[in-house]
Structure formats: structure tokens, C-alpha cells
Amino acid sequence: MNKPIDVEILLVEDNARDAEMTLRTLRKGNLANKVVHVRDGQQAVDWLFCEGEFEDRDPGLRPKFVLLDLKMPKLDGLDVLRIMRGDERTRRIPVVVMTSSNEQRDIVDSYDLGVNSYIVKPVEFESFSSAVLQLGQFWLLVNQVPEY
């Protein structure tokens, strides 16, 4: 039996509009109770590894999945993914890249680094909301994560 997970989604998104639409959609689908939103790649790494402003966070609490943008300040999403996959504590956490980039190089690099899914952000609000809701439902309700 898995232990309780206090954080279900780590949302790594620097665009305030996209973050708000994501959170609004998750709330509407009753999936936003346990979301942590960080605004850049360095904050994501600090949160995951209990460093910097998150040094007092319980290291035993890990998200069911990370929803990761690629193009961000400080550390980009590929750097975050590389760090996560290179550390035993975070290598099995599912990561979904949701980004505006449909560049083949970004897609290939993401999969080479072990991303679980790569989604290009739909431009239209309804399509964006639908994609976020489907992602949340699958990764929170359907997918099984290993015990830590």
C-alpha cells in the first residue's frame, strides 16, 4: 500500500497566465487540492530536493507527477529533467512536459532524458483546459506510482 502523498502535482510554470489556466482547470475538475506551483526551474529543483527556500519541507513527500514547462528562467525544463533523472530520489517521479515548443530537438531531448509524456500547449483555451484535465485525470486517478 502506498503511503499518503500530500502533494500530488508539482506545477513548474513561469507563465502566470498558463499557470492560472492550469490551476483553474484542475480546480474545476476537482484535481487541484494538492498542487504546488513554482515559477522557474531552480525553484523546482529546490522544492524537489528540500533546498533554498524549501529546506524545511518534508523530503518524504513527493508528487505523483511533475507538470513541467521547458522554456523557463534560471534552469530550463530539460535541466530540471536531467537533474531529476540523475538522482535516485526523483528518478521514478513521472514527468509530463507541457510546453509551447513543438521543436523536434526539444521532443527528442525530453524523451532521451526520460520524460513520460510530451504535450504541446494548445493555444485555444478550451483545448488547453481539456488537455490539462485529461492529464490530471490520467496521472492522478489512473496511473500507479511505485512506493518510495
Side-chain angles (χ1 to χ4, degrees):
M1 174 184 264
N2 286 346
K3 68 179 182 175
I5 298 175
D6 284 340
V7 175
E8 293 186 325
I9 302 171
L10 176 61
L11 173 61
V12 187
E13 175 61 68
D14 66 317
N15 182 300
R17 180 178 170 271
D18 287 353
E20 181 53 39
M21 285 192 316
T22 300
L23 292 168
R24 185 179 318 145
T25 298
L26 292 169
R27 278 192 298 270
K28 190 175 179 180
N30 295 314
L31 300 171
N33 293 338
K34 300 173 183 178
V35 177
V36 171
H37 172 222
V38 295
R39 289 165 179 79
D40 62 57
Q42 185 61 57
Q43 272 193 322
V45 169
D46 287 350
W47 190 90
L48 287 163
F49 296 103
C50 304
E51 298 171 353
E53 66 185 288
F54 304 104
E55 67 184 352
D56 293 331
R57 187 182 76 71
D58 179 354
L61 302 178
R62 295 188 182 106
K64 280 191 173 181
F65 80 100
V66 175
L67 189 54
L68 179 66
D69 189 17
L70 285 188
K71 309 299 182 194
M72 294 181 297
K74 297 184 184 177
L75 284 176
D76 71 15
L78 291 175
D79 289 330
V80 172
L81 187 57
R82 187 176 292 108
I83 291 166
M84 287 182 69
R85 293 306 187 236
D87 192 287
E88 186 63 36
R89 297 169 289 176
T90 56
R91 102 172 11 138
R92 289 187 190 99
I93 297 172
V95 177
V96 176
V97 166
M98 188 163 176
T99 183
S100 56
S101 173
N102 64 359
E103 295 292 322
Q104 226 12 245
R105 182 80 257 150
D106 288 336
I107 296 168
V108 169
D109 288 348
S110 294
Y111 277 103
D112 284 350
L113 290 169
V115 77
N116 297 91
S117 184
Y118 190 103
I119 309 295
V120 176
K121 291 178 187 174
V123 177
E124 179 188 88
F125 175 75
E126 290 301 319
S127 297
F128 182 93
S129 293
S130 176
V132 168
L133 186 59
Q134 289 174 36
L135 285 170
Q137 289 172 334
F138 176 78
W139 291 103
L140 294 177
L141 304 176
V142 177
N143 188 60
Q144 295 292 306
V145 295
E147 290 184 34
Y148 295 108

